[in-house]
Amino acid sequence: MPGFVEKPEPVEVPGLTHLHTGKVRDLYQNAAGDLVMVASDRSSVYDWVLPTEIPEKGRILTQLSLWWFEQLTDLVPHHVISTDVPAGAPADWAGRTLVCKSLRMVPVECVARGYLTGSGLAEYRQTRTVCGLALPEGLVDGSELPAPIFTPATKAAVGDHDENVSYEEVAHQVGPEVAAQLRQTTLAVYGRARDIARERGVILADTKFEFGFDGEQLTLADEVLTPDSSRFWPADLWQPGRAQPSFDKQFVRNWLTSPAADWDRTGELPPPALPHEIVESTRAKYVEAYERLTGLRWS
């Protein structure tokens, strides 16, 4: 059964109540009722949370999310209140902690796609649709779509797959007005981020967002536009018709499916520990993504 190879024990911090241990983030609540999100260095692949961490990954994801939130504030408000580390928390929480508004979360993964790949490609090959949306004939892995599309999914528990659903199903679940708001905001944010990334020589192939309501205000939550929630490709290497090189944990996926790992991803045994060179190559990709997108040097 996929899930955690070794599930960590939550850190006990005075004044914080532990709520949830996710694939990457640990979630707490403070005395004021705010959420405290701490991004770990854990990595998840093929529905397993691996036993080997990627150094600094949590800090990179957190700082990249903060940068993106600032680029998007005129389109949609975000949930971050501060980046202060709670009193009594480990020093290691610095740079990876977000104190956030407690939102009424929408139970939908809001996915925007501008290019065809992944689960969208698999569906397209069978039905020429993605989440029920008809697409033109002749598209291949990595093809740019005629226009970005909203392809929502249900949010899965640790160890389970998110499941693509139709827009009609989302409207049935959350109501037509909220569904329309989710679609409009998702595509607006994707369009802004796609253009920013493109200026930096990076293709934003697809991404997923999570939203909640702060009172009546739709608000952007969780992480945003990181290599864990998005597919970023180097524009100069884009070549439709094949799998694209990407700024994410592709080194990990490639190694786990290679003879060197000696691991059957369809079996019941958990994946093995990652070798040092795979860890370092993956960390370097996260750093490169941060630096190329933000124009800032990681330190």
Side-chain angles (χ1 to χ4, degrees):
M1 178 68 181
F4 288 92
V5 175
E6 300 170 5
K7 188 170 184 177
E9 290 295 322
V11 177
E12 294 188 8
V13 178
L16 296 187
T17 301
H18 176 258
L19 300 178
H20 179 65
T21 297
K23 294 177 182 178
V24 174
R25 285 164 184 76
D26 298 306
L27 188 62
Y28 299 80
Q29 188 173 50
N30 64 19
D34 304 320
L35 297 182
V36 179
M37 290 174 42
V38 185
S40 74
D41 292 337
R42 296 190 293 269
S43 190
S44 65
V45 179
Y46 301 129
D47 299 320
W48 284 99
V49 180
L50 303 179
T52 311
E53 295 188 337
I54 308 298
E56 293 195 291
K57 176 174 176 270
R59 286 192 179 89
I60 296 168
L61 296 184
T62 300
Q63 299 308 310
L64 184 55
S65 287
L66 286 168
W67 185 85
W68 277 116
F69 281 134
E70 288 303 307
Q71 314 307 309
L72 304 169
T73 50
D74 61 314
L75 295 179
V76 60
H78 59 75
H79 66 156
V80 179
I81 298 172
S82 81
T83 57
D84 296 339
V85 177
D92 183 61
W93 281 21
R96 61 175 78 238
T97 300
L98 299 177
V99 181
C100 304
K101 298 175 183 178
S102 182
L103 305 177
R104 178 167 50 88
M105 295 302 295
V106 179
V108 176
E109 293 276 4
C110 293
V111 180
R113 302 176 191 267
Y115 293 75
L116 187 63
T117 194
S119 62
L121 175 65
E123 180 184 334
Y124 172 82
R125 284 173 169 166
Q126 291 185 334
T127 63
R128 295 297 183 266
T129 64
V130 177
C131 289
L133 298 174
L135 293 176
E137 293 284 340
L139 300 181
V140 296
D141 193 355
S143 288
E144 184 172 9
L145 301 178
I149 57 175
F150 176 63
T151 58
T154 56
K155 186 170 176 57
V158 175
D160 293 334
H161 284 293
D162 292 345
E163 182 179 346
N164 293 344
V165 295
S166 67
Y167 177 78
E168 288 72 23
E169 174 60 30
V170 173
H172 176 75
Q173 187 173 357
V174 302
E177 290 185 6
V178 172
Q181 196 175 4
L182 291 174
R183 179 169 60 184
Q184 179 181 357
T185 306
T186 295
L187 292 176
V189 173
Y190 172 81
R192 168 72 59 80
R194 175 201 58 199
D195 293 346
I196 291 173
R198 185 176 289 161
E199 292 170 358
R200 291 153 170 78
V202 177
I203 289 173
L204 174 58
D206 56 43
T207 191
K208 64 179 179 180
F209 304 115
E210 291 193 39
F211 294 98
F213 281 94
D214 179 16
E216 298 301 313
Q217 178 68 61
L218 188 68
T219 302
L220 189 55
D222 199 53
E223 66 177 325
V224 60
L225 294 158
T226 72
D228 271 16
S229 65
S230 316
R231 284 188 177 91
F232 291 111
W233 300 335
D236 58 342
L237 298 178
W238 174 54
Q239 184 180 323
R242 61 170 174 83
Q244 311 299 316
S246 58
F247 295 103
D248 61 8
K249 49 202 171 189
Q250 194 60 47
F251 286 111
V252 175
R253 297 189 193 96
N254 291 348
W255 184 79
L256 285 174
T257 54
S258 73
D262 191 26
W263 178 63
D264 178 10
R265 61 174 288 199
T266 64
E268 297 183 359
L269 293 178
L274 302 176
H276 175 74
E277 62 271 19
I278 298 301
V279 171
E280 286 302 304
S281 296
T282 302
R283 177 190 174 278
K285 273 296 172 190
Y286 279 94
V287 170
E288 184 182 358
Y290 173 87
E291 293 185 341
R292 288 189 63 166
L293 289 166
T294 68
L296 304 171
R297 184 162 182 80
W298 178 255
S299 59

